[in-house]
Amino acid sequence: NRLRNTYVSSRYAGQFSFELPFDLTGRASAGYEQLRYVFPDRTAAGYVRRADNQYLFGGSLLRRFGDSLRIGGTVAWVRRVSTIETGSYQGLRYGVQAEVIP
């Protein structure tokens, strides 16, 4: 059962960063990820080969503190479509983001 969540992933993503006034940095991002699970999942209908497709669109706003630190927030809309009913979802994700630049 430990190996049940083993999958092969293909991911494509892009990000656009731009400088704003007041030491702010804005970011827009978009991505697509496909997850192909190695082992079949057990469902009410029997064993099913699971594959998930995930789409992500988001943005971040960060403030610079010195030359090597940025702190801010991020918001993303995520949609995951799965071949098993309980694996699909969509909605907003948000959080705090920190970045250290060497």
Side-chain angles (χ1 to χ4, degrees):
N1 284 338
R2 288 183 303 159
L3 299 175
R4 185 70 53 205
N5 287 327
T6 303
Y7 57 83
V8 177
S9 171
S10 298
R11 184 177 187 188
Y12 306 94
Q15 183 178 46
F16 177 69
S17 295
F18 46 95
E19 299 299 318
L20 296 168
F22 309 110
D23 289 331
L24 296 173
T25 300
R27 290 213 180 112
S29 58
Y32 167 77
E33 185 173 17
Q34 182 182 59
L35 308 169
R36 292 180 310 281
Y37 288 80
V38 175
F39 300 103
D41 249 334
R42 187 175 183 189
T43 65
Y47 285 95
V48 176
R49 283 271 176 207
R50 182 176 178 181
D52 296 350
N53 294 297
Q54 182 167 283
Y55 309 90
L56 178 134
F57 301 96
S60 300
L61 185 62
L62 303 147
R63 186 174 190 292
R64 287 188 303 273
F65 295 94
D67 291 335
S68 60
L69 180 64
R70 293 180 184 152
I71 299 174
T74 185
V75 176
W77 179 82
V78 179
R79 180 173 186 222
R80 185 176 216 165
V81 179
S82 180
T83 54
I84 64 168
E85 186 178 325
T86 58
S88 296
Y89 62 86
Q90 69 179 19
L92 284 177
R93 291 182 181 174
Y94 53 90
V96 176
Q97 182 176 345
E99 196 174 275
V100 177
I101 303 161

